[in-house]
């Protein structure tokens, strides 16, 4: 694999989507080539699975069903989008990946961590994550930024205690894995953007056309 695979992780409400958009816009202005993609989703089939996961249904979703859907979506996305892009030497920036599953389904929902690690490895296949940018804002701060909104999609309706556990999960992963860089995302969106850009630039990932 000649390309570089970068994942961006963090709790709901940390401004991750805004940061991904700011990077994308800056790359366009500066002529930096990259493939931007997201999970759950990233291909037609994976986006359909995303809908099933995030829609509020009248029927309650079993936690293991949810996990398997995330992993099914991930396998499709990895095989169809990420692997081919890395093989052709591209920089791939993915909004959420395996760490979200450990943090949300493992630490958040309480599913067995070893089972999740095994399923993550199956879905990931033989690709490596070169760098993970963890947008670090405590879950309560993220929750406050969203105006304490408890509506939105099915996952966004979870309680504050759920998000505390998710944050603890991301934090533990950041401590364990060398590939993870904690980026303090408590400042303005432009300050955070500069930090993210610098992380990528200093590693030589930003090849201009
Ligand atoms: P999304 O709207 O993409 O959230 P955000 O903009 O905050 O990234 O919805 C994704 C939701 O799915 C989010 O609440 C996190 C959750 N999620 C998991 O629980 N497990 C996973 O493996 C992934 C990829 C996401």
């Amino acid at each position: 694999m000649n390309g570089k695979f970068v994942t961006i992780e963090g709790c709901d409400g940390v401004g991750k989507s805004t940061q991904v958009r700011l990077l994308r816009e800056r790359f366009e202005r500066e002529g930096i080539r990259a493939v931007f993609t997201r999970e759950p989703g990233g291909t037609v089939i994976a986006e359909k699975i995303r809908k099933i996961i995030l829609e509020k249904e009248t029927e309650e979703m079993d936690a293991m069903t949810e996990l398997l859907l995330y992993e099914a979506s991930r396998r499709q996305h990895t095989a169809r989008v990420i692997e081919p892009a890395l093989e052709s030497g591209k920089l791939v920036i993915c909004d959420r990946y395996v760490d979200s599953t450990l943090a949300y389904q493992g630490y958040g929902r309480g599913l067995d961590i070893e089972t999740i690690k095994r399923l993550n490895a199956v879905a990931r296949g033989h690709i490596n994550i070169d760098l993970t940018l963890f947008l670090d804002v405590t879950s309560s701060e993220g929750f406050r930024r969203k105006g304490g909104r408890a509506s939105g999609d099915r996952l966004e309706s979870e309680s504050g205690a759920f998000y505390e556990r998710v944050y603890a999960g991301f934090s533990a992963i950041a401590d364990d894995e060398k590939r993870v860089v904690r980026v303090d995302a408590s400042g303005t969106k432009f300050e955070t953007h500069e930090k993210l850009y610098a992380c990528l630039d200093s590693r030589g990932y930003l090849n201009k056309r």
Side-chain angles (χ1 to χ4, degrees):
M1 298 271 171
N2 307 316
K4 292 289 174 206
F5 185 33
V6 177
T7 61
I8 304 190
E9 299 277 8
C11 294
D12 292 65
V14 295
K16 195 167 48 55
S17 317
T18 306
Q19 291 304 328
V20 171
R21 180 175 53 77
L22 290 174
L23 280 177
R24 190 201 283 260
E25 288 168 1
R26 176 133 177 217
F27 284 13
E28 270 167 24
R29 283 199 305 278
E30 297 184 354
I32 295 162
R33 254 183 288 194
V35 173
F36 282 87
T37 189
R38 70 164 182 185
E39 290 217 346
T43 79
V44 175
I45 291 175
E47 291 288 338
K48 283 186 181 166
I49 300 174
R50 175 191 174 90
K51 269 193 149 175
I52 298 174
I53 302 172
L54 297 179
E55 250 167 21
K56 278 189 184 166
E57 290 285 348
T58 41
E59 178 185 329
E60 197 180 318
M61 190 179 292
D62 173 78
M64 182 56 76
T65 306
E66 182 191 64
L67 168 64
L68 293 170
L69 286 173
Y70 276 117
E71 298 294 2
S73 154
R74 172 161 307 133
R75 182 61 213 144
Q76 183 69 10
H77 179 220
T78 302
R80 298 281 306 190
V81 175
I82 301 172
E83 275 179 16
L86 292 176
E87 265 160 18
S88 63
K90 292 185 177 131
L91 167 64
V92 178
I93 299 197
C94 188
D95 183 350
R96 297 195 182 281
Y97 200 60
V98 288
D99 298 334
S100 279
T101 318
L102 259 194
Y104 283 83
Q105 279 64 51
Y107 289 80
R109 298 239 188 271
L111 292 180
D112 180 56
I113 297 287
E114 288 311 312
T115 304
I116 297 176
K117 284 187 175 168
R118 280 207 305 277
L119 291 170
N120 273 345
V122 170
R124 187 168 56 83
H126 60 284
I127 62 166
N128 268 325
I129 305 172
D130 295 290
L131 170 68
T132 297
L133 300 167
F134 167 42
L135 295 183
D136 192 354
V137 178
T138 58
S139 62
S140 46
E141 169 69 5
F143 210 59
R144 193 190 57 72
R145 282 194 195 182
K146 289 189 110 173
R149 187 152 43 95
S151 56
D153 64 35
R154 199 174 53 80
L155 271 127
E156 285 176 345
S157 328
E158 290 295 339
S159 67
F162 175 80
Y163 285 109
E164 296 292 341
R165 295 197 297 276
V166 171
Y167 176 77
F170 277 126
S171 218
I173 297 165
D175 291 342
D176 281 0
E177 301 274 355
K178 281 207 188 69
R179 65 176 159 81
V180 182
V181 173
R182 275 178 196 268
V183 178
D184 175 8
S186 57
T188 69
K189 64 181 179 185
F190 300 108
E191 284 164 355
T192 305
H193 168 72
E194 289 304 328
K195 288 179 197 165
L196 294 177
Y197 187 92
C199 279
L200 297 167
D201 201 19
S202 64
R203 284 168 179 75
Y205 289 179
L206 305 182
N207 293 320
K208 302 207 174 164
R209 272 191 276 262

